[in-house]
Amino acid sequence: MADELGVTLQSGTRIPDAYYMLSDAQLDERIRAAKAKLGEQVVLLGHHYQGARVIQWADFTGDSFRLARLALTRSNAKYIVFCGVHFMAETADVLSPEETVVILPDLGAGCSMADMANERQVDDCWSELAERLPGSKIIPITYMNSTAALKAFCGENDGAVCTSSNAEGILKWAFERGDKILFFPDQHLGRNTGYKMGIPLEQMVIYNPLFGDFECTDEELKNAKIILWKGFCSVHQKFTVEQEEEVRRLYPDMKIIVHPECSLEVVLGADYVGSTEHIIKVIEESPAGSQWAIGTEINLIHRLAEEHKDKLIVSLSGPNVCPCATMYRISPQHLCWALEQLAAGTVVNHVQVDRETRKWAGVALERMLAIAK
Ligand code: 13P
Ligand code: SF4
């Protein structure tokens, strides 16, 4: 179902009320039992933003790049139960063998940023670019946070996928093949990466999918190196320069690390920037007693604070925490239900990409995997 803005509305998965009556201990016991019954038939992949009560069951955890690689290398299992969001489960389906079944415990676990670009909008933008920039070779690059259909669009049009951990390498690859990049759906990752590569801000223009138009003059479009889709992450957009100034004022020894989905101003005000996996690595390698303000989803920050009690770890946004509402939809109750159904022989919430989309999305993803290694 799509609303008037073209955003796909995916309703959540209703599970029997009885699951909500269970205590934490009962849920844990039943998840453990179902997982044990399934044994090696099932592998649980968990994104770093999952809450502690879910991530404890993951066989492997990662950022979206690592999870994509795991889907490729760990897919000897018959079932992948994906504790993350819909685009990640689709990616796992595309990269794993055709017979591997990917399950998302709550189909309502989407990504509001991924919903900011759909096929019709990208097709419209692409046609508009062909008309306005005749003779120009434009390479489409989609952030991993997008539907399989958009990854397929990139596969079919000489483009690729990127994640927050490999965006620079993918953009370099794209500039070797074309003179401009169309980057969707996250304007911030695109701008932050372009800026780091030395592309002047005036050569990064905006395409607004809601109005179907470029927010620049014809001349600016002609001179542009990157055309940025006007999408954003509602979680990361909440971090501000004022919060960074407050941290600097109150805690002069505190370091700031943020995800590249934050705005350019916030990224420039931080000490470090990187994917969720990178953030974890930097914190792990930091000395005892160090102090950190982190600009990313709150579940990961809580976990890092819990695991590194010898360090002071807080959210950059202070008490105004930024949860990813859709990641939260993978509740212990949904996980328990999906595993118990599977253990009883019923596949629920199968995420399956159609054959044609799978083929071309696979091309775009494999290009990324080959470039990023
Ligand atoms: P990572 O690839 O860094 O885990 O990011 C995924 C994501 O959705 C961040 O909002
Ligand atoms: Fe999407 Fe933002 Fe949630 Fe990441 S944190 S899954 S980009 S809404």
Side-chain angles (χ1 to χ4, degrees):
M1 181 175 43
D3 71 3
E4 69 278 10
L5 299 179
V7 171
T8 305
L9 303 173
Q10 181 74 62
S11 50
T13 302
R14 261 198 80 105
I15 60 174
D17 289 345
Y19 280 93
Y20 295 103
M21 310 297 174
L22 299 172
S23 66
D24 288 356
Q26 285 171 320
L27 273 169
D28 284 354
E29 190 39 49
R30 284 176 58 167
I31 292 174
R32 187 177 296 108
K35 209 171 166 245
K37 186 168 176 202
L38 288 158
E40 294 196 345
Q41 290 186 93
V42 70
V43 65
L44 258 77
L45 299 183
H47 185 264
H48 295 309
Y49 289 164
Q50 291 296 311
R53 299 222 34 247
V54 168
I55 205 84
Q56 63 174 328
W57 301 108
D59 297 303
F60 301 96
T61 60
D63 62 1
S64 45
F65 180 58
R66 190 166 133 82
L67 290 170
R69 292 233 306 241
L70 283 163
L72 195 70
T73 55
R74 298 285 160 175
S75 49
N76 47 346
K78 201 164 158 194
Y79 307 108
I80 294 177
V81 174
F82 210 105
C83 298
V85 288
H86 197 268
F87 71 81
M88 298 178 182
E90 273 193 336
T91 300
D93 183 53
V94 170
L95 290 172
S96 60
E98 222 168 327
E99 55 282 9
T100 304
V101 172
V102 177
I103 289 166
L104 185 65
D106 186 342
L107 288 176
C111 162
S112 54
M113 178 208 283
D115 287 343
M116 289 177 189
N118 65 34
E119 270 178 281
R120 181 186 51 76
Q121 292 168 326
V122 170
D123 280 341
D124 286 352
C125 174
W126 196 244
S127 312
E128 189 78 11
L129 283 171
E131 209 171 289
R132 307 245 316 238
L133 298 169
S136 191
K137 174 75 180 164
I138 304 170
I139 306 291
I141 300 293
T142 186
Y143 187 23
M144 182 68 100
N145 300 34
S146 58
T147 60
L150 295 191
K151 293 182 176 79
F153 176 91
C154 291
E156 269 193 282
N157 289 286
D158 302 331
V161 176
C162 77
T163 74
S164 57
S165 64
N166 57 37
E168 193 175 339
I170 304 294
L171 292 203
K172 275 190 190 139
W173 170 90
F175 279 127
E176 283 160 15
R177 281 154 183 83
D179 38 25
K180 292 187 200 306
I181 290 172
L182 170 62
F183 190 94
F184 46 86
D186 186 20
Q187 59 171 308
H188 299 297
L189 179 65
R191 187 180 295 110
N192 289 329
T193 312
Y195 188 85
K196 192 168 164 217
M197 292 167 73
I199 298 171
L201 287 177
E202 55 280 12
Q203 288 194 296
M204 295 191 264
V205 298
I206 295 273
Y207 177 77
N208 186 333
L210 293 183
F211 300 121
D213 208 358
F214 301 92
E215 294 184 352
C216 63
T217 62
D218 284 348
E219 200 51 26
E220 285 165 336
L221 182 60
K222 232 168 70 197
N223 291 330
K225 297 295 287 175
I226 306 183
I227 298 133
L228 299 167
W229 196 265
K230 201 172 184 175
F232 59 88
C233 165
S234 44
V235 176
H236 290 89
Q237 188 147 290
K238 294 217 179 79
F239 296 103
T240 64
V241 171
E242 289 70 33
Q243 292 162 352
E244 292 180 325
E245 287 166 355
E246 187 78 346
V247 165
R248 303 284 186 214
R249 196 173 61 78
L250 294 174
Y251 306 93
D253 295 331
M254 191 169 261
K255 298 280 181 226
I256 299 175
I257 184 164
V258 301
H259 195 277
E261 287 173 14
C262 293
S263 69
L264 177 64
E265 295 71 28
V266 169
V267 163
L268 292 179
D271 300 293
Y272 303 91
V273 56
S275 75
T276 53
E277 195 84 14
H278 181 75
I279 292 172
I280 294 170
K281 187 165 178 276
V282 170
I283 302 291
E284 275 173 359
E285 291 174 357
S286 66
S290 57
Q291 302 176 7
W292 293 95
I294 307 180
T296 196
E297 209 273 343
I298 194 67
N299 269 323
L300 176 57
I301 302 174
H302 279 159
R303 192 154 53 252
L304 285 169
E306 195 57 37
E307 288 169 0
H308 298 271
K309 293 224 166 71
D310 57 338
K311 300 166 194 173
L312 175 61
I313 295 173
V314 296
S315 168
L316 173 58
S317 60
N320 308 315
V321 293
C322 301
C324 173
T326 48
M327 285 272 181
Y328 265 94
R329 296 187 82 145
I330 308 296
S331 65
Q333 288 84 355
H334 281 84
L335 178 60
C336 184
W337 168 75
L339 286 171
E340 287 189 338
Q341 290 288 313
L342 201 54
T346 306
V347 170
V348 290
N349 292 5
H350 184 181
V351 174
Q352 196 171 23
V353 176
D354 71 80
R355 203 171 273 262
E356 185 66 9
T357 307
R358 182 186 166 90
K359 176 176 132 194
W360 287 109
V363 169
L365 281 162
E366 275 153 24
R367 280 187 193 131
M368 173 190 78
L369 291 167
I371 302 159
K373 297 270 181 344

